[in-house]
Structure formats: structure tokens, C-alpha cells
Amino acid sequence: MPVDRDRVAAAVRELLEAIGEDPARPGLKQTPQRVADAYAEFFAGVGVDAAEPLQHTISVSRGPAPDTLPSGAVMLRDIRFRSMCEHHLLPFAGHAHIAYLPGEQVVGLGALPRVVDVLAARPQVQERLGEQIADSIAGALDTRGVLIVLDAVHECVTMRGGRQPDASTVTIAARGVFTDPVARTEIIALLTGGAA
């Protein structure tokens, strides 16, 4: 269901009044509609199937070595994402790093950022976002393992409360063979740019 922009705009007008502002003054007159338009984008993933981009797979059992499965992980690093913390409705943004160990099929690399985009475009917490990305990939693809590393900066940490402007949060979600800490050590180093 799309975001109800009229209701969001009305709520923003009410919020401006609640903080003692005049939503009719020149600088704020367009703010309710601007926020409604922004929220339509920020929350476009609500109710959307994140696994849909993964439905178009490519068989690796055809081609020059049809009896050979990929022996190594497929990795996509530095996928930029932004989301809204469900606790304060403040943004958090960073990079997602994805690795999966394919079985019989692989997916076009462009599908992986779309999964991140769909799941990030809803009220979120980073810990759940990583788990949802891992579940979507593991559930839609024939994988032997999935590893998601998210590194993000949260405005609820940098701009309010303890105000830690240099703090970032790193979370890891693992499925299959990557649930073994030893098995994921090399992959984490490769994903995050560290030495293997």
C-alpha cells in the first residue's frame, strides 16, 4: 500500500504546531508536502516482497564446465543504503556488504542491491535489516551460505543523546556454512577490505 501523502502532510502540520511553529509561515508552508514526498520515498519498501528481484536466476550447470559448482563466494561490497530508525524516525545510512556461496544457480549482481533497497525502505533497526537481507537471499536462492555485514551511522547516536559523531554500528548476519566463525573469517576480511 503506498504512503498516504495527504495524511503524512496533515500530521506534519500538526507536528509543527505542536512544537510551537506556524506551518503557514513562508519557510514552512511547503514543508508538510515536502516531508510527505520524502516519506513516500523513504518508506517505499513497506509491503513490498524483497525476494522479487532474486526470482531471475542463472543456472551455473550450463556452460563450459557444467558439472562444476562455483567453489568460492560471490561478493558485492559497498552497497550504499539509507533507512529510518523505527525508534526515533531518524535516518541511518551506510554500506551493506553481501557474500553468498552459490549452489546450482546465481543471480544477476544488480538484484542484490535491490533487495537491500526494498528492506531498508521501511521503518527499521539495523540488526533486523541484516537478518532480513540474509533470509531473503537464503530463501530465494540455492545457496550454501550467506553473509551480510552492515556498517552504518545512526543520527539517533550522532545528533541526539550521547552525540557520538564518529560512531558507526557494524552488524553481521550469517546463514549456512557462514554461521561457523572460522568459515566466515576470510569472507569478512574480503568484504570489509581487511587482510585475509
Side-chain angles (χ1 to χ4, degrees):
M1 181 169 95
V3 171
D4 185 335
R5 293 178 191 217
D6 291 337
R7 287 182 65 193
V8 171
V12 171
R13 276 189 289 281
E14 176 65 27
L15 176 64
L16 289 170
E17 290 173 358
I19 64 169
E21 267 290 357
D22 176 7
R25 77 170 168 84
L28 291 175
K29 192 171 186 177
Q30 298 301 318
T31 298
Q33 191 57 53
R34 288 180 182 132
V35 173
D37 292 344
Y39 274 27
E41 182 181 334
F42 291 159
F43 301 118
V46 174
V48 175
D49 179 9
E52 193 281 325
L54 301 171
Q55 299 310 307
H56 308 287
T57 59
I58 302 159
S59 174
V60 292
S61 62
R62 296 188 196 117
D67 296 327
T68 305
L69 289 177
S71 61
V74 175
M75 292 178 257
L76 191 58
R77 300 186 322 183
D78 297 321
I79 301 166
R80 290 176 86 54
F81 75 93
R82 56 103 180 107
S83 191
M84 293 287 266
C85 172
E86 67 183 32
H87 298 151
H88 301 98
L89 289 182
L90 289 172
F92 65 96
H95 291 91
H97 312 290
I98 298 174
Y100 76 96
L101 192 55
E104 292 284 333
Q105 298 183 324
V106 294
V107 68
L109 294 177
L112 299 172
R114 289 196 299 276
V115 171
V116 175
D117 288 344
V118 167
L119 291 168
R122 48 182 78 168
Q124 271 292 7
V125 293
Q126 182 174 332
E127 299 86 344
R128 183 175 61 229
L129 176 59
E131 298 293 333
Q132 289 175 340
I133 295 167
D135 286 342
S136 294
I137 294 169
L141 300 180
D142 173 29
T143 66
R144 294 174 278 158
V146 176
L147 184 67
I148 309 300
V149 178
L150 301 180
D151 186 352
V153 175
H154 294 249
E155 288 194 12
C156 58
V157 174
T158 64
M159 298 184 71
R160 62 163 301 280
R163 294 190 186 123
Q164 295 296 314
D166 298 325
S168 72
T169 301
V170 176
T171 56
I172 298 170
R175 303 291 181 271
V177 298
F178 295 134
T179 58
D180 175 20
V182 174
R184 70 178 176 232
T185 301
E186 177 186 24
I187 299 299
I188 288 176
L190 290 169
L191 281 176
T192 59

